[in-house]
Structure formats: C-alpha cells, structure tokens
Amino acid sequence: MLNIEGLNVYYGAIHALKDIHLHVSEGEIVTLIGANGAGKSTLLRTLSGLIKPRTGIIHFQGMAVQGQSPRNITMKGLIHCPEGRRIFANMSVEENLELGGFLQRDQKELRSDIENVYSTFPILAERKKQMAGTLSGGEQQMLAIGRSLMARPKLLLLDEPSMGLAPLLVKEIFKVIQTINAAGTTVMLVEQNAHQALKIADRAYVLETGKVVIEGEASELADSDEIKLAYLGGHI
C-alpha cells in the first residue's frame, strides 16, 4: 500500500530524515518507535504533504504522491491524525466530525459516517453538542481519531495517540486502533509507548536521528534485548 524509497527531508540546513526506506502492506499495523527528535512525526508530516521532501519517492497504492498537496493526498485516502489532537476547540463535537467529512458530498453518507464514529466512540455521541475544548484529554483524542475516520482512510497515520492519557485510557485507545484495523483500515502508528505499540503492531521500524536503524516483526523486536534496554525500560 505504501512504499518509501530514499526519502530525505531537511529543515533548512538540518538533515531531518536520512535515506528512509520502508513499506506498509494493506491490512497491517506498522509502528515507528524511537526517542524524541528521531524523525517519527516528520515522516508522517512528509507522507501527508505538510512537508516537502528534498529527494526520494513515496508511492501510495502505486501512485507517486511526494510533493503533492495535503488535500490531494487526503483525497487518495492517506489520512493524518496529528500529534496533540488539533481539534477545533470552539466548535461542537459533531461540527468537528462534519469538518472531518468535508470530502463527502452526500449528506446521507455523511450522516452514516458520523453514526459509525459514534458507534466506535459512544461517549462522543453523548457529547455531540458539547464544545470540543471542554472535553477531557481522552475524549479529545477519541474525537481526533473519529474526525480522521470521517475521511474514510485507506491508510491512517496516527501520531502519538496515547500521549498524556491515563493508563486505562491508553489501553482503550489501543483497543480502538485494533478495532479500526480489523474493520479494514491499514495503520501506521507513531508511539512513545513502545511497549503497547509493539503488542498490537505486525511490524516495526526503529528511528534514530532520522535514520531507520532496526526493522522487523513487532514480536521479534519486543523480544530483542537491544530494544528492551533502549525503549522498554529493560523489560516488556
């Protein structure tokens, strides 16, 4: 579904991503793990068109998308749920969802998509008229994911969905990611919580200072002494 070859991204003189090669197959959950500043979020922002790469190829479903506008990339079904939620705080829950479905011209289909989000996140149905900025952190994260689902993603890029959440909510969010994937959406997941990410992922890539340094089956990486020491607090 996604194939990246020789991707190089710069912030001015800073070489942020260095010759990245990776792929995501349809139906997978692939996670990117690494320390802060490793380039994980930069990679997602490049895939969604927010950052233009200097060199390299990004093929999505067989089409080159590098350098295209975020709108065009979104229309192809590559959807980015950004770090920090980025909800519209002064709009209601339902208005946020309606904005997420801006590509949908059929009002019945739009309504159906909103109801599907409510079935995935029942708490959002209870809060649908509430201003999004008054939601709890966990509810805001659910809204951010729900808004992304409104665009009917073929590949969903999730950036730090568990950040700042209580442990019980973290487990709930990871269960939802598995549910979304089981329903047919391929997922690329950026996570600081490597322990949980490796539990639900099929494969994983480890980034260090803008480079892929390790890749493999998630279960194998979870059992690796090197990974345990560097990212899992010495255990899993």
Side-chain angles (χ1 to χ4, degrees):
M1 177 172 274
L2 178 73
N3 194 51
I4 301 169
E5 299 176 10
L7 192 68
N8 286 278
V9 173
Y10 288 77
Y11 290 118
I14 298 170
H15 197 173
L17 293 179
K18 303 165 185 172
D19 198 34
I20 298 289
H21 293 259
L22 62 79
H23 71 277
V24 178
S25 297
E26 187 170 354
E28 284 190 308
I29 299 176
V30 173
T31 188
L32 304 175
I33 61 175
N36 284 333
K40 306 183 302 296
S41 294
T42 297
L43 177 55
L44 295 198
R45 289 170 62 82
T46 304
L47 294 177
S48 61
L50 296 170
I51 298 172
K52 306 301 182 194
R54 185 169 295 183
T55 60
I57 297 172
I58 302 168
H59 279 119
F60 178 62
Q61 294 194 312
M63 296 178 288
V65 297
Q66 70 276 1
Q68 290 193 22
S69 70
R71 178 186 174 89
N72 284 347
I73 291 171
T74 296
M75 290 176 71
K76 288 177 171 62
L78 203 166
I79 308 301
H80 186 179
C81 185
E83 180 183 359
R85 298 153 197 164
R86 306 290 181 89
I87 58 164
F88 299 100
N90 295 322
M91 300 176 72
S92 71
V93 165
E94 191 147 300
E95 287 169 337
N96 270 268
L97 295 178
E98 288 170 350
L99 275 174
F102 79 100
L103 294 172
Q104 181 57 260
R105 298 296 178 225
D106 186 313
Q107 288 302 303
K108 286 184 179 178
E109 291 290 321
L110 181 68
R111 193 68 239 169
S112 175
D113 290 346
I114 290 174
E115 292 305 321
N116 285 338
V117 171
Y118 288 154
S119 68
T120 303
F121 300 107
I123 191 67
L124 296 183
E126 297 175 22
R127 306 271 195 269
K128 61 184 177 182
K129 300 302 181 186
Q130 191 170 323
M131 292 298 102
T134 66
L135 299 177
S136 70
E139 291 163 353
Q140 288 185 14
Q141 186 60 67
M142 292 175 192
L143 178 56
I145 295 173
R147 184 181 59 188
S148 297
L149 294 177
M150 289 295 298
R152 297 187 174 185
K154 295 172 183 173
L155 173 57
L156 179 59
L157 308 176
L158 283 173
D159 196 352
E160 301 287 7
S162 76
M163 181 181 286
L165 301 184
L168 280 177
L169 281 173
V170 170
K171 287 186 178 180
E172 187 174 344
I173 289 294
F174 276 96
K175 283 181 183 175
V176 166
I177 294 169
Q178 289 177 292
T179 300
I180 291 168
N181 177 248
T185 301
T186 306
V187 176
M188 178 179 272
L189 172 66
V190 161
E191 251 304 326
Q192 281 288 310
N193 191 333
H195 179 92
Q196 289 287 350
L198 290 172
K199 274 187 175 180
I200 69 166
D202 298 293
R203 293 187 304 107
Y205 292 87
V206 179
L207 268 64
E208 285 184 7
T209 60
K211 294 182 287 190
V212 174
V213 293
I214 304 172
E215 62 179 280
E217 298 293 319
S219 57
E220 292 176 3
L221 266 63
D223 288 335
S224 159
D225 289 339
E226 183 181 355
I227 297 297
K228 286 179 183 179
L229 188 61
Y231 302 106
L232 304 174
H235 62 85
I236 189 167

